[in-house]
Amino acid sequence: MSNVEVKELFDENRYPSGWKALLLVLYTPVGLVLAGVRLLIAVQALLVALLLPQIPAVKRFVLRSLCVALGIVVKQENSTVRDENVKVLVANHISPCDHIAVHLVSGSVTPSVWELPGPLCWALGLKEFGLRQGREVLLTNIRSHFEKSTVPVLCHPEGSTTSGKVGLLKFSSWPFCLTDAIQPVAIQIWRPACSDVAASALATGIWADIFWFLFVPCTIFTLRYLPVVVKDGGESDSQFGERAAQLLAAELGIEMTQHTASDKVEYEKRYLLEQSQPVIARTSSTSELQRMARQVGEVLPYVPHDVIIRDLVRTRSVDVTISNILEGVVTYVPQMEASQSVGSVNTATEESKNIPSTSTATHTLTNNVQGSCLDTSSPSFARSAQERMLSFNERKARLIENARQRYIEKHGLKNVGFNC
């Protein structure tokens, strides 16, 4: 199983660094003018698609105009491997314009995820298959399309874009229910050094991605066809999809992961929350971080102090750091509470002289019970976000209760029972 973390699959920063950043600054005036001109071309092309009849000549004109506006250039490799009889193409997903590049060379259509007028879908190589109405409606409409047309359907089983440099999101199984044979297509993007910005970035909208297509001189899509993959007898749809994902990952030189599009959505929410946290002034950051670290340490006493500090420097939030630790975003080796035990050995020895044996036994039993309650790990990883959030809240409440009882015992506020 891959050890790639979900955050490694996406570009958090769209812009280049080093000398490429300097080139981007110098190119910016030209890029802004180019984006303005291309925007006018794109608007006119879309108006033509809306106003003129849906005939092949109009479609070719609109599509070519949009490719000029977006600066899209398509290169094909291994085109001899392309099997015209295969009805389902499966590709990785790295930009909102992937389907346009594939449509240019193969004539494929892609299930539309946006509510666009029919002429625009037709011109952009999209088709309304009922994707937003559920899996069964989608599969039924695509199968009906296959009965009436030989036009292939392009699917992006990842369900969301990635950087395309580290790993693939886990494939959804629905494209592999359609036919017993699919053809993978590996997509890669290249942009000139003067405008080497990422095709998509974390927590940004589609219009931001489109703007950068208008801004850069050109975006070169390289499409490589892989051999047709045929479902083996007795092989499930998910196993069929995993085999196709392995081929794509090997071709692209990246890894397969178990992260899904839903995991990306959750990580984006956490990322935006971290970015929205107020910045603490440097003069008071050290004392403030130590205070927050103590709060986290009271709830999670087995987490090393340096690990807590390191994450607090990034999040500046006690709640976010606790969430990151409980959800496994922060990795660490649990520490033994030896330091606390050593520090209190002498005191405990002195107090034990004046404490009856029954009280000592009760105190020991309480510590044992509480120690067993510190295991807040979940027996399994829930599939849905709601179940994971419910499990997280339960574990967080247990940890807070453990910390509260430790505090009460330490300061002798009252006798604590055995509730965990």
Side-chain angles (χ1 to χ4, degrees):
M1 184 177 293
S2 171
N3 294 323
V4 175
E5 296 185 15
V6 64
K7 64 181 180 181
E8 300 177 38
L9 298 177
F10 319 105
D11 288 313
E12 294 183 0
N13 184 10
R14 187 189 295 271
Y15 311 105
S17 58
W19 62 272
K20 288 186 177 180
L22 178 60
L23 290 180
L24 179 61
V25 172
L26 297 176
Y27 171 77
T28 295
V30 178
L32 292 175
V33 173
L34 186 61
V37 174
R38 285 174 164 177
L39 181 60
L40 293 177
I41 296 174
V43 170
Q44 293 178 10
L46 295 176
L47 287 175
V48 168
L50 287 171
L51 299 177
L52 295 184
Q54 298 183 20
I55 56 178
V58 173
K59 182 174 183 177
R60 284 194 296 271
F61 169 77
V62 172
L63 195 57
R64 294 296 176 183
S65 299
L66 287 175
C67 287
V68 170
L70 297 172
I72 293 178
V73 179
V74 182
K75 293 169 54 179
Q76 290 190 88
E77 296 181 0
N78 297 342
S79 57
T80 55
V81 181
R82 172 74 178 107
D83 190 340
E84 301 293 339
N85 296 320
V86 176
K87 299 180 179 180
V88 177
L89 302 178
V90 171
N92 57 308
H93 199 12
I94 52 181
S95 84
C97 296
D98 293 344
H99 69 279
I100 295 179
V102 180
H103 176 70
L104 270 175
V105 297
S106 68
S108 62
V109 294
T110 303
S112 176
V113 297
W114 307 299
E115 294 183 0
L116 298 176
L120 289 186
C121 287
W122 166 78
L124 295 172
L126 300 172
K127 189 165 183 177
E128 181 55 57
F129 285 117
L131 180 61
R132 293 177 299 279
Q133 299 175 26
R135 177 190 176 105
E136 294 304 322
V137 174
L138 173 66
L139 296 178
T140 300
N141 290 337
I142 294 180
R143 291 185 181 117
S144 176
H145 164 79
F146 288 153
E147 294 175 358
K148 303 174 184 177
S149 174
T150 58
V151 175
V153 173
L154 171 67
C155 304
H156 295 296
E158 289 179 285
S160 188
T161 57
T162 68
S163 66
K165 303 171 185 176
V166 179
L168 294 174
L169 291 173
K170 185 177 181 180
F171 277 13
S172 173
S173 62
W174 71 263
F176 306 96
C177 302
L178 298 169
T179 62
D180 291 336
I182 60 99
Q183 183 151 35
V185 182
I187 301 177
Q188 289 183 310
I189 283 181
W190 178 88
R191 282 174 170 169
C194 64
S195 55
D196 189 16
V197 294
S200 63
L202 190 69
T204 58
I206 183 175
W207 294 114
D209 296 339
I210 296 297
F211 167 78
W212 288 103
F213 271 91
L214 300 173
F215 179 89
V216 303
C218 65
T219 303
I220 299 179
F221 284 83
T222 300
L223 309 182
R224 292 198 298 275
Y225 295 101
L226 277 64
V228 175
V229 182
V230 181
K231 180 184 289 187
D232 295 333
E235 189 176 35
S236 66
D237 297 329
S238 59
Q239 291 171 334
F240 186 26
E242 184 175 350
R243 196 150 54 88
Q246 288 175 346
L247 291 175
L248 265 178
E251 180 67 23
L252 294 168
I254 57 180
E255 297 187 38
M256 288 176 55
T257 73
Q258 294 301 308
H259 303 299
T260 65
S262 299
D263 294 330
K264 178 184 178 181
V265 172
E266 292 185 17
Y267 179 70
E268 280 184 327
K269 292 178 181 178
R270 187 164 59 246
Y271 174 79
L272 290 173
L273 178 62
E274 292 175 2
Q275 296 300 311
S276 66
Q277 296 297 324
V279 179
I280 302 175
R282 288 184 179 269
T283 55
S284 61
S285 61
T286 302
S287 59
E288 186 69 10
L289 281 175
Q290 293 297 334
R291 182 188 65 79
M292 291 191 293
R294 285 194 297 271
Q295 291 180 341
V296 176
E298 290 177 357
V299 178
L300 305 171
Y302 51 85
V303 180
H305 184 75
D306 59 330
V307 174
I308 297 174
I309 289 291
R310 188 162 56 246
D311 195 66
L312 282 173
V313 169
R314 185 171 59 91
T315 65
R316 299 289 181 174
S317 170
V318 172
D319 291 336
V320 174
T321 292
I322 291 174
S323 299
N324 288 345
I325 294 172
L326 293 179
E327 294 179 5
V329 176
V330 176
T331 57
Y332 63 93
V333 177
Q335 66 178 1
M336 302 298 293
E337 296 182 273
S339 59
Q340 297 180 4
S341 300
V342 171
S344 59
V345 165
N346 294 333
T347 305
T349 303
E350 300 249 348
E351 291 179 352
S352 63
K353 296 178 181 179
N354 301 321
I355 298 177
S357 59
T358 55
S359 176
T360 303
T362 302
H363 183 70
T364 304
L365 180 58
T366 301
N367 286 340
N368 291 339
V369 172
Q370 287 183 343
S372 65
C373 294
L374 284 177
D375 184 11
T376 60
S377 59
S378 178
S380 62
F381 187 76
R383 289 180 174 272
S384 67
Q386 292 82 359
E387 292 176 351
R388 289 196 292 271
M389 182 56 68
L390 179 61
S391 175
F392 161 68
N393 288 331
E394 291 176 352
R395 287 181 285 143
K396 182 177 179 181
R398 262 200 319 271
L399 285 168
I400 293 174
E401 178 62 19
N402 286 333
R404 185 183 71 84
Q405 296 209 19
R406 284 171 175 270
Y407 183 86
I408 291 173
E409 279 193 333
K410 180 178 179 181
H411 296 278
L413 298 180
K414 67 174 183 177
N415 292 329
V416 183
F418 302 127
N419 59 342
C420 295

